[in-house]
């Protein structure tokens, strides 16, 4: 992970989760809003069936007319888990259509397959996640990770199983405790 700058923000534009924001971040109090684009109808989306365009999910009082029923149901599913229990007593996650996103920063994560080794039965994927100033294109933070997937985990037939799985754990991986947006936006 590389951090080039730290900013205090209330929210940001999420480029790659086009059909919903990260309502958990709002419930946990990390951000006041998340903006995103609705470009196609998708079952299980909080904006499914609504007009295409940009939307903002935000923390609101329970009596706000924009409280999103989809999020109310999702928060209720976590019936005995904090902070969902305390949050739903007073607040909701509301959704409103906006003409254009107003955020200064965007968060984007893209993944690609680098290697598909059919002979030895594995794939290697590269994931790049970055936080960028929308107007200047300045990258405030970026993390890059590489993941090894033996065929036996996700693919069939079982004959594709990696023959020497013990080699996968040869190197110790030290996970980063915070996401790149938490580093850049100075959130715990």
């Amino acid at each position: 992970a590389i951090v080039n700058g730290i900013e205090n923000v209330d929210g940001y534009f999420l480029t790659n989760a086009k059909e919903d924001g990260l309502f958990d971040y709002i419930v946990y109090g990390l951000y006041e809003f998340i903006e995103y684009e609705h470009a196609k109808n998708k079952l299980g989306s909080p904006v499914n069936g609504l007009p295409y365009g940009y939307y903002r999910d935000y923390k609101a009082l329970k009596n706000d007319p924009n409280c999103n029923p989809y999020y109310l149901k999702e928060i209720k599913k976590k019936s005995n888990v904090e902070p969902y229990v305390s949050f739903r007593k007073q607040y909701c996650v509301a959704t409103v259509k906006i003409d254009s996103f107003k955020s200064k920063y965007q968060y984007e994560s893209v993944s690609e397959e680098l290697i598909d080794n059919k002979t030895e039965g594995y794939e290697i994927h590269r994931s790049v996640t970055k936080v960028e100033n929308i107007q200047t294109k300045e990258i405030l933070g970026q993390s890059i990770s590489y993941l090894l997937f033996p065929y036996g985990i996700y693919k069939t037939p079982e004959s594709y199983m990696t023959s020497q799985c013990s080699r996968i754990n040869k190197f110790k991986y030290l996970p980063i405790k915070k996401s790149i947006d938490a580093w850049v936006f100075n959130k715990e």
Side-chain angles (χ1 to χ4, degrees), residues 2-7 105-106 108 128-134 136-143 180 184:
I2 298 167
V3 177
N4 297 322
I6 297 174
E7 295 286 333
Y105 300 100
Q106 70 181 14
E108 177 180 30
V128 178
T129 304
K130 63 183 176 180
V131 175
E132 178 179 84
N133 182 308
I134 293 170
T136 67
K137 302 296 183 202
E138 174 190 10
I139 295 176
L140 288 142
Q142 178 173 290
S143 72
I180 194 68
V184 171

Side-chain angles (χ1 to χ4, degrees), residues 18-187:
K18 292 192 176 216
E19 302 309 318
D20 59 65
L22 296 172
F23 79 94
D24 293 313
Y25 283 180
I26 295 170
V27 172
Y28 274 84
L30 297 177
Y31 304 103
E32 293 296 312
F33 69 88
I34 303 288
E35 295 176 332
Y36 54 96
E37 183 181 5
H38 171 44
K40 64 179 179 179
N41 283 318
K42 176 178 147 188
L43 287 176
S45 164
V47 290
N48 186 36
L50 296 177
Y52 295 146
Y54 296 105
Y55 284 84
R56 175 182 277 214
D57 290 342
Y58 61 95
K59 178 181 177 180
L61 292 173
K62 269 176 81 168
N63 61 356
D64 188 304
N66 296 314
C67 285
N68 190 313
Y70 173 85
Y71 291 133
L72 290 172
K73 189 169 71 172
E74 289 299 306
I75 291 169
K76 194 172 187 175
K77 280 183 188 176
K78 302 177 186 203
S79 57
N80 297 323
V81 181
E82 286 296 346
Y84 299 95
V85 174
S86 299
F87 182 87
R88 73 171 174 253
K89 286 179 183 175
Q90 189 174 358
Y91 301 103
C92 73
V93 176
T95 302
V96 64
K97 188 171 185 327
I98 54 178
D99 294 331
S100 62
F101 56 89
K102 313 259 187 297
S103 301
K104 183 176 180 181
Y105 300 100
Q106 70 181 14
Y107 173 88
E108 177 180 30
S109 185
V110 292
S111 182
E112 64 180 335
E113 179 184 277
L114 287 181
I115 298 170
D116 184 357
N117 188 326
K118 291 179 178 23
T119 305
E120 295 185 27
Y122 66 85
E123 294 176 355
I124 296 178
H125 292 247
R126 178 178 188 241
S127 177
V128 178
T129 304
K130 63 183 176 180
V131 175
E132 178 179 84
N133 182 308
I134 293 170
Q135 288 186 340
T136 67
K137 302 296 183 202
E138 174 190 10
I139 295 176
L140 288 142
Q142 178 173 290
S143 72
I144 301 173
S145 60
Y146 295 88
L147 300 170
L148 169 66
F149 295 106
Y151 275 179
I153 295 175
Y154 296 110
K155 292 191 173 186
T156 56
E158 290 300 321
S159 61
Y160 284 123
M161 183 68 82
T162 302
S163 60
Q164 295 181 328
C165 289
S166 62
R167 291 184 178 261
I168 292 171
N169 295 322
K170 184 176 179 181
F171 302 102
K172 296 293 180 196
Y173 169 67
L174 300 174
I176 297 171
K177 301 290 185 200
K178 291 177 15 176
S179 63
I180 194 68
D181 62 312
W183 280 105
V184 171
F185 295 144
N186 200 20
K187 300 288 182 177

